[in-house]
Amino acid sequence: MTSNQVANGSDALLFLDKKRTYFIRVRSGESFHTHKGFIRFDDIIGRAYGSRVRSSLGEEFAVLKPSLRDFIQKISRRTQIIYPKDMALIMLYADIRPGSRIVEAGTGSGALTVLLADRVRPDGRVFTYEVREEFLDIARRNVERMRLSSFVEFKNKSIMEGVEEEDVDAVVLDLATPWEVVPFASKALRGSGYFASFSPTIEQTIKTCVAMEKEGFVAVETVECLVRRFQVKEGMTRPETLMTGHTGYLTFGRKILTD
Amino acid sequence: MTSNQVANGSDALLFLDKKRTYFIRVRSGESFHTHKGFIRFDDIIGRAYGSRVRSSLGEEFAVLKPSLRDFIQKISRRTQIIYPKDMALIMLYADIRPGSRIVEAGTGSGALTVLLADRVRPDGRVFTYEVREEFLDIARRNVERMRLSSFVEFKNKSIMEGVEEEDVDAVVLDLATPWEVVPFASKALRGSGYFASFSPTIEQTIKTCVAMEKEGFVAVETVECLVRRFQVKEGMTRPETLMTGHTGYLTFGRKILTD
Amino acid sequence: MTSNQVANGSDALLFLDKKRTYFIRVRSGESFHTHKGFIRFDDIIGRAYGSRVRSSLGEEFAVLKPSLRDFIQKISRRTQIIYPKDMALIMLYADIRPGSRIVEAGTGSGALTVLLADRVRPDGRVFTYEVREEFLDIARRNVERMRLSSFVEFKNKSIMEGVEEEDVDAVVLDLATPWEVVPFASKALRGSGYFASFSPTIEQTIKTCVAMEKEGFVAVETVECLVRRFQVKEGMTRPETLMTGHTGYLTFGRKILTD
Amino acid sequence: MTSNQVANGSDALLFLDKKRTYFIRVRSGESFHTHKGFIRFDDIIGRAYGSRVRSSLGEEFAVLKPSLRDFIQKISRRTQIIYPKDMALIMLYADIRPGSRIVEAGTGSGALTVLLADRVRPDGRVFTYEVREEFLDIARRNVERMRLSSFVEFKNKSIMEGVEEEDVDAVVLDLATPWEVVPFASKALRGSGYFASFSPTIEQTIKTCVAMEKEGFVAVETVECLVRRFQVKEGMTRPETLMTGHTGYLTFGRKILTD
């Protein structure tokens, strides 16, 4: 069975329309129930992703192969602060690449961990710090579901007590007080390595930049990323009425060695 | 010599401040001249990235290891339409991952090719179409400089004449008339695979969406991505006065199989 | 009784917090009921605007004098397409000033009419076209409530059949097909007079600009206006999560005389 | 001669295209020189605004009647911080209307003063504080040029020493330290009156909001206003590449009476 076929136990995205999209685990003998009727998983198993399937009420769904973004959106639905758009920018601005060794904190439900792990494959590694054990368990399960466990080391520790790794390529933070971690991040980074931090408020961002300046980081930059969705239909094209006006500020910098 | 040391023949980024940053190739016996004096490359070779170096006039530069983003900005300076922020979003929204097989057109100077190639490592592949031979040569050199040639197949052909690959994971377009390629893209994609297109104008975007609807793509979405830079200094924090107000619209969709 | 005192029959804004603000008509003997208890109007009458009043349940409300913006938001709640921010820009970009003679279409519920009428006082005039009689009645009542009736002439006609006024200073449109009115607007305008049009979609905007070019308008410009609200609290300052991402495009131009 | 005719001594806007627009004072016997040849003012005097005129080199210009916005842009070119878009919002959000009595500080070159004075006509008044005498002179000339002097009282005083007026409808600030003026503003305002302040930095904004809360202002809101310009041409429609990403934050509030 090729990788583009729906297997028993695999994930799928049932797509009715943009607002009615369901991330499911396909299990033989079971079915998925919606307001538009139910779908028997045995009708899907063995078919190619991208196929259409009809519910018991005749409604047509597309069976999609979930993307990392789909998964990230699913697992961060409740705790979502840092959005896919912000993560996408972090990947490029902090130069997360195959082979990179990354320190992350806090892990949360593992949404960013999953993306980092996928990017550093096959010979890089993510060291992720999370002080709340219950979150670490959730994150571990999420990373495992994406089959990325061998690229992640979960650490049930507070990064406020220091970073144990050395010569890492990037430190990526989604914490309430990132400025307190700046000295540890600086110590852990290789020369020219990347500091990246996400903060919802401007006060957090200011404190973080002040701390970075003190540690001698260069190329310090703070940005915000706005993504605006459009309705594109001939004769009715326009941006959507409501948009996400703010998620957080992203701050980046590069480590300089002291002689 | 470890990978974080500046070697003869390697690339480096000489950083004075945000506006004076120079992407250079380090060559023994040569030097780099700026308004702030010159820097002898032999003073850099063998040192760690992240070190500081003084120019002949005593000005201090940081010697940084270039990121993919640095390289992309360097090579797209003259022809730049699609920006790093847009590329970053494409990577995530089109689920470009290790192992992905990607069709790209047009290659241009290879800025996006470099990023795609890095992302699909080590077992994926980028098939990039470019009808203008002189651009293909530039792109080939750029990809080689980043040591990514083994992940890219350069095709001196117009994608308007069809896509030769099958069952690809994504088709990524930066073309003047992307809507003409939609049927070829649809044919080349595996079920649930991604179509992604960048267009500066709204008319291109509308035509592309109309063509996508005709081919039965689902999850079609158009977004624009705005990145706003901040000046963060205690007591003087504010967004920068000038910003890039527009680069282009990004349109995405997923391939549905017809029975 | 000075104009800053609440009179029987006058309007007031009861303010509890940003999300719980009530636009009311004060009538002796009556009261206003909220989830936080009721407020007797006789407790307010005769007091200065800006006073505080307690509800029967002890909740404190501020009694504010409504602004034009408050009134506009109240009356356009159901049909709201053009927002105060857009109206504010129209006032300045179309040079609406005391003494201006303005043609408006369509009237709708009169939200923009009220603002135009207030701006052209005391010796200007607004001629407003509305084909739907039921809207014209609503608009008439709203303009009267703001005591601006003597500055407005209501016309139960379609502006598609032509503009009866001549040498007007501005034509302001909020219509589904503004491009059809461009020739009539051009004819009605004095030399150097202003055309202003609000449209939700880009296709309407393009057609309008094409029609304007044909009629020889100069200084044609299209803008969109985004207003982003902030939460400003020490240590928690950030833009609000949700924002209005789009209301419409505003297009302006100036009439040139043909010899 | 009607008001839409160019008179000797009046102002005009010579329009070649969007980027080449000249604000001039028409004087009999003189002429205006551009790279596209010169224009004799005697060829313009007596003609209607909106006419076309040819330069000595045959280039066609439109002769427009300047708007308040044109004048504001002209006089604030050198010191411009607060833009027309921000002023437009202040007019509506601070309910500046015919009859309003307004306190303004600082006057600067009088750009905002001109707009305020025009809005409060015919029976309102603007009291404008400016400690720098040389600016006050410039402002006085600018207000006079717009024939609005009888609606403005110029005060060569620092507003930091207090506001002399009472029961004013609004206090509008464009100062480096607006938070120091909040108590004076509060004292000068009538109940339900408006405080409005423009500040480039977020720290100024935070301090101002803190001071407003202390003084008991309600309906406190901070916004930023972004205006994005479009290139609208059939087949080439798109936002302009560069935009003004930031001018400043606007903060508003309403005065509550203490018993």
Side-chain angles (χ1 to χ4, degrees):
Chain A
M1 211 179 276
T2 76
S3 70
N4 205 41
Q5 271 178 312
V6 184
N8 184 12
S10 66
D11 288 323
L13 198 73
L14 289 178
F15 177 92
L16 181 59
D17 56 41
K18 278 176 208 184
K19 286 183 183 158
R20 288 175 294 179
T21 302
Y22 310 95
F23 196 107
I24 55 160
R25 172 73 57 98
V26 176
R27 289 185 201 283
S28 181
E30 298 182 7
S31 46
F32 179 71
H33 292 260
T34 77
H35 289 92
K36 298 287 180 181
F38 63 88
I39 290 168
R40 263 186 253 276
F41 289 150
D42 288 324
D43 291 351
I44 303 179
I45 293 174
R47 300 191 59 189
Y49 282 110
S51 301
R52 301 166 202 252
V53 64
R54 287 197 181 276
S55 73
S56 57
L57 295 176
E59 200 73 34
E60 196 176 81
F61 287 76
V63 184
L64 301 176
K65 190 172 184 174
S67 67
L68 277 188
R69 181 184 164 214
D70 294 325
F71 187 64
I72 286 166
Q73 284 176 331
K74 173 194 162 60
I75 67 179
S76 54
R77 202 150 284 176
R78 267 161 302 175
T79 58
Q80 193 164 26
I81 302 180
I82 178 163
Y83 275 48
K85 67 181 176 66
D86 302 310
M87 297 183 187
L89 226 55
I90 290 173
M91 295 302 119
L92 189 60
Y93 279 44
D95 210 37
I96 312 293
R97 299 171 58 181
S100 296
R101 293 173 66 248
I102 312 293
V103 166
E104 183 202 20
T107 313
S109 52
L112 182 53
T113 317
V114 161
L115 190 58
L116 289 167
D118 187 70
R119 291 296 186 239
V120 304
R121 282 199 283 160
D123 44 4
R125 198 157 182 82
V126 180
F127 306 91
T128 188
Y129 288 71
E130 174 58 67
V131 75
R132 298 162 298 175
E133 203 164 352
E134 68 280 18
F135 270 100
L136 212 58
D137 286 344
I138 295 168
R140 207 176 267 126
R141 276 201 303 278
N142 283 328
V143 169
E144 201 174 308
R145 186 162 178 180
M146 288 294 105
R147 299 198 183 101
L148 292 164
S149 298
S150 57
F151 310 106
V152 181
E153 188 169 317
F154 294 93
K155 311 185 74 158
N156 191 8
K157 290 180 184 172
S158 168
I159 198 168
M160 302 294 174
E161 290 160 24
V163 177
E164 297 170 334
E165 292 69 32
E166 289 182 354
D167 281 320
V168 300
D169 296 292
V171 174
V172 181
L173 304 180
D174 177 9
L175 292 171
T177 57
W179 59 91
E180 296 183 6
V181 181
V182 169
F184 302 130
S186 179
K187 198 159 155 285
L189 284 166
R190 66 163 168 82
S192 197
Y194 297 84
F195 177 90
S197 177
F198 171 89
S199 292
T201 78
I202 194 67
E203 286 93 345
Q204 292 169 307
T205 304
I206 295 169
K207 284 179 188 165
T208 303
C209 288
V210 168
M212 289 171 75
E213 206 175 329
K214 218 169 164 182
E215 287 292 326
F217 280 93
V218 300
V220 175
E221 67 178 324
T222 295
V223 301
E224 61 178 354
C225 177
L226 295 163
V227 169
R228 198 146 78 126
R229 295 169 58 98
F230 281 71
Q231 168 189 292
V232 181
K233 281 189 207 165
E234 269 189 303
M236 299 168 65
T237 303
R238 43 168 294 173
E240 292 186 0
T241 299
L242 275 183
M243 73 178 275
T244 301
H246 184 70
T247 54
Y249 301 100
L250 294 168
T251 298
F252 301 93
R254 296 194 195 181
K255 161 74 175 293
I256 290 305
L257 299 169
T258 46
D259 309 307
Chain B
M1 211 180 277
T2 77
S3 70
N4 205 41
Q5 272 180 310
V6 184
N8 184 14
S10 65
D11 289 322
L13 197 73
L14 289 176
F15 178 92
L16 182 57
D17 55 40
K18 277 176 209 183
K19 287 185 181 157
R20 287 175 297 178
T21 301
Y22 311 96
F23 195 107
I24 56 163
R25 171 75 55 101
V26 176
R27 289 182 199 284
S28 182
E30 299 182 6
S31 44
F32 179 72
H33 293 259
T34 77
H35 288 92
K36 299 288 180 179
F38 63 87
I39 290 167
R40 262 187 254 277
F41 289 150
D42 288 324
D43 290 351
I44 302 179
I45 293 173
R47 298 191 61 190
Y49 283 110
S51 301
R52 300 165 203 257
V53 64
R54 285 196 182 278
S55 74
S56 58
L57 294 175
E59 200 73 36
E60 197 177 81
F61 287 76
V63 184
L64 301 177
K65 189 172 185 174
S67 66
L68 278 187
R69 180 182 164 214
D70 294 326
F71 187 64
I72 286 167
Q73 282 177 332
K74 173 194 162 60
I75 68 180
S76 54
R77 202 151 284 175
R78 265 161 305 176
T79 56
Q80 193 166 25
I81 301 180
I82 177 165
Y83 275 46
K85 66 180 174 68
D86 302 311
M87 296 183 187
L89 226 55
I90 290 173
M91 295 302 120
L92 189 60
Y93 279 44
D95 209 38
I96 314 293
R97 300 171 59 180
S100 295
R101 294 171 67 246
I102 312 294
V103 167
E104 183 202 18
T107 314
S109 52
L112 182 54
T113 317
V114 161
L115 189 56
L116 289 166
D118 188 69
R119 290 295 186 240
V120 305
R121 280 200 285 160
D123 44 3
R125 200 159 181 81
V126 180
F127 305 91
T128 187
Y129 289 72
E130 174 60 65
V131 75
R132 298 161 300 175
E133 201 164 355
E134 68 280 17
F135 270 100
L136 212 57
D137 287 344
I138 294 168
R140 208 176 265 126
R141 276 202 302 279
N142 283 328
V143 170
E144 200 173 309
R145 188 162 178 180
M146 288 294 104
R147 299 198 183 100
L148 292 164
S149 298
S150 57
F151 310 106
V152 181
E153 189 169 316
F154 294 94
K155 311 186 76 157
N156 191 9
K157 290 182 182 171
S158 168
I159 198 168
M160 303 294 176
E161 291 160 23
V163 177
E164 297 169 334
E165 291 70 29
E166 289 181 354
D167 281 319
V168 300
D169 296 292
V171 174
V172 181
L173 304 179
D174 177 10
L175 291 171
T177 55
W179 60 90
E180 297 183 7
V181 181
V182 169
F184 302 131
S186 179
K187 197 157 156 285
L189 284 166
R190 65 162 168 84
S192 195
Y194 296 85
F195 177 90
S197 177
F198 172 89
S199 292
T201 77
I202 194 68
E203 286 93 344
Q204 292 168 306
T205 304
I206 295 169
K207 283 179 189 164
T208 303
C209 288
V210 168
M212 288 170 75
E213 206 175 329
K214 217 168 163 181
E215 288 292 326
F217 280 92
V218 299
V220 175
E221 67 177 321
T222 295
V223 300
E224 60 178 355
C225 176
L226 295 163
V227 169
R228 200 147 77 127
R229 296 170 57 98
F230 281 71
Q231 168 188 290
V232 182
K233 280 188 206 167
E234 270 187 301
M236 298 167 65
T237 303
R238 43 168 293 171
E240 292 186 359
T241 298
L242 274 183
M243 72 177 277
T244 301
H246 184 70
T247 54
Y249 302 99
L250 294 168
T251 298
F252 301 94
R254 296 196 195 180
K255 162 74 175 292
I256 290 304
L257 299 170
T258 46
D259 309 306
Chain C
M1 210 179 279
T2 76
S3 69
N4 205 41
Q5 270 179 311
V6 184
N8 184 12
S10 66
D11 288 323
L13 198 72
L14 289 177
F15 177 92
L16 181 59
D17 56 41
K18 278 176 208 182
K19 287 185 182 157
R20 287 174 296 178
T21 302
Y22 310 96
F23 196 107
I24 54 161
R25 172 74 55 100
V26 176
R27 290 184 198 284
S28 182
E30 299 182 6
S31 44
F32 178 72
H33 292 260
T34 78
H35 289 92
K36 299 288 180 180
F38 63 87
I39 290 168
R40 261 187 255 276
F41 288 150
D42 288 324
D43 291 350
I44 303 179
I45 293 173
R47 300 192 60 189
Y49 283 110
S51 302
R52 297 165 205 254
V53 64
R54 285 197 182 276
S55 73
S56 57
L57 294 176
E59 200 73 36
E60 197 176 81
F61 288 76
V63 184
L64 301 176
K65 190 172 184 173
S67 67
L68 278 187
R69 181 185 164 213
D70 293 326
F71 187 65
I72 286 165
Q73 283 176 331
K74 173 194 161 61
I75 68 179
S76 54
R77 202 151 283 174
R78 264 161 307 175
T79 57
Q80 193 164 24
I81 300 182
I82 178 163
Y83 275 48
K85 66 181 176 68
D86 302 310
M87 297 183 187
L89 226 57
I90 290 173
M91 294 303 119
L92 189 60
Y93 279 43
D95 210 37
I96 313 294
R97 299 171 59 180
S100 295
R101 295 172 65 249
I102 312 293
V103 167
E104 183 203 20
T107 313
S109 52
L112 182 53
T113 317
V114 162
L115 190 58
L116 289 166
D118 187 70
R119 290 296 186 240
V120 305
R121 283 199 283 160
D123 44 3
R125 199 158 182 79
V126 180
F127 305 91
T128 188
Y129 288 71
E130 174 58 65
V131 75
R132 298 161 301 175
E133 202 164 354
E134 68 280 17
F135 271 100
L136 212 58
D137 287 343
I138 295 168
R140 208 176 266 125
R141 276 201 303 278
N142 282 327
V143 170
E144 200 174 309
R145 185 162 179 180
M146 288 293 104
R147 299 198 181 98
L148 292 163
S149 297
S150 58
F151 310 106
V152 181
E153 188 168 317
F154 294 94
K155 313 186 73 156
N156 191 6
K157 290 181 182 172
S158 168
I159 198 167
M160 302 294 174
E161 291 159 23
V163 177
E164 297 170 334
E165 291 69 32
E166 288 183 356
D167 281 320
V168 300
D169 296 292
V171 174
V172 181
L173 304 179
D174 177 10
L175 292 171
T177 56
W179 59 90
E180 296 183 6
V181 181
V182 169
F184 302 131
S186 179
K187 198 158 155 284
L189 284 166
R190 66 160 168 83
S192 197
Y194 296 85
F195 176 90
S197 177
F198 171 89
S199 292
T201 77
I202 193 67
E203 286 93 346
Q204 291 169 307
T205 304
I206 295 170
K207 284 180 189 164
T208 302
C209 288
V210 168
M212 290 172 75
E213 206 175 328
K214 217 169 164 182
E215 287 292 326
F217 280 92
V218 299
V220 176
E221 67 179 323
T222 295
V223 300
E224 60 178 354
C225 177
L226 295 163
V227 169
R228 199 147 77 128
R229 296 170 59 97
F230 281 71
Q231 169 188 292
V232 181
K233 281 189 204 164
E234 269 187 302
M236 299 167 65
T237 303
R238 44 167 294 173
E240 292 186 359
T241 299
L242 275 184
M243 72 178 276
T244 301
H246 184 71
T247 53
Y249 300 99
L250 294 168
T251 297
F252 301 95
R254 295 196 195 181
K255 162 74 175 292
I256 290 305
L257 299 169
T258 46
D259 309 304
Chain D
M1 210 177 281
T2 76
S3 71
N4 205 40
Q5 271 181 311
V6 184
N8 185 13
S10 66
D11 289 322
L13 197 73
L14 290 176
F15 178 92
L16 182 58
D17 56 41
K18 279 175 209 183
K19 287 185 181 156
R20 287 174 296 179
T21 302
Y22 310 96
F23 195 107
I24 55 161
R25 172 73 55 100
V26 176
R27 290 184 199 284
S28 181
E30 298 182 6
S31 44
F32 179 72
H33 293 260
T34 78
H35 288 92
K36 298 288 181 180
F38 63 88
I39 290 168
R40 262 186 254 277
F41 288 150
D42 289 325
D43 290 350
I44 302 180
I45 293 173
R47 298 191 59 190
Y49 283 110
S51 302
R52 300 165 202 255
V53 64
R54 286 195 181 279
S55 75
S56 58
L57 294 176
E59 199 74 34
E60 197 176 79
F61 287 75
V63 184
L64 301 177
K65 189 172 185 175
S67 66
L68 278 187
R69 180 183 164 213
D70 293 326
F71 187 64
I72 285 166
Q73 283 176 332
K74 173 194 161 59
I75 68 179
S76 54
R77 202 150 286 175
R78 267 161 304 175
T79 58
Q80 192 163 26
I81 300 181
I82 178 165
Y83 275 47
K85 67 181 174 68
D86 301 311
M87 296 183 187
L89 226 55
I90 290 172
M91 295 302 120
L92 188 60
Y93 279 43
D95 209 38
I96 313 293
R97 300 171 58 180
S100 295
R101 294 172 65 249
I102 312 293
V103 167
E104 183 202 19
T107 314
S109 53
L112 181 54
T113 317
V114 161
L115 190 57
L116 289 167
D118 187 70
R119 289 295 186 242
V120 305
R121 279 200 285 161
D123 44 4
R125 199 158 182 81
V126 179
F127 305 91
T128 187
Y129 288 72
E130 174 59 66
V131 75
R132 298 162 299 176
E133 201 164 354
E134 68 279 18
F135 270 101
L136 213 57
D137 287 344
I138 295 168
R140 208 177 265 125
R141 277 202 302 279
N142 282 328
V143 170
E144 201 175 309
R145 187 162 178 180
M146 289 293 106
R147 298 195 183 103
L148 293 164
S149 298
S150 57
F151 310 106
V152 181
E153 188 169 317
F154 293 93
K155 311 186 74 156
N156 191 8
K157 290 182 182 170
S158 168
I159 198 168
M160 302 294 173
E161 291 160 23
V163 177
E164 296 169 334
E165 291 70 30
E166 288 181 355
D167 281 320
V168 301
D169 296 293
V171 174
V172 181
L173 304 179
D174 177 9
L175 292 171
T177 57
W179 59 91
E180 297 183 7
V181 181
V182 169
F184 302 131
S186 179
K187 197 159 156 284
L189 284 167
R190 66 161 167 83
S192 196
Y194 296 84
F195 176 89
S197 177
F198 172 88
S199 292
T201 76
I202 193 68
E203 286 92 346
Q204 292 169 305
T205 304
I206 295 169
K207 283 178 189 165
T208 303
C209 288
V210 168
M212 289 171 75
E213 205 175 331
K214 218 169 161 180
E215 288 291 328
F217 280 92
V218 299
V220 176
E221 66 177 322
T222 295
V223 300
E224 60 178 356
C225 176
L226 295 163
V227 169
R228 198 146 78 127
R229 296 170 57 98
F230 281 71
Q231 168 188 292
V232 182
K233 280 189 206 166
E234 269 187 302
M236 299 167 65
T237 303
R238 42 166 296 170
E240 292 186 359
T241 299
L242 274 184
M243 72 177 276
T244 301
H246 184 70
T247 54
Y249 301 99
L250 294 168
T251 298
F252 301 94
R254 295 195 195 181
K255 162 74 176 291
I256 291 304
L257 299 170
T258 46
D259 310 305

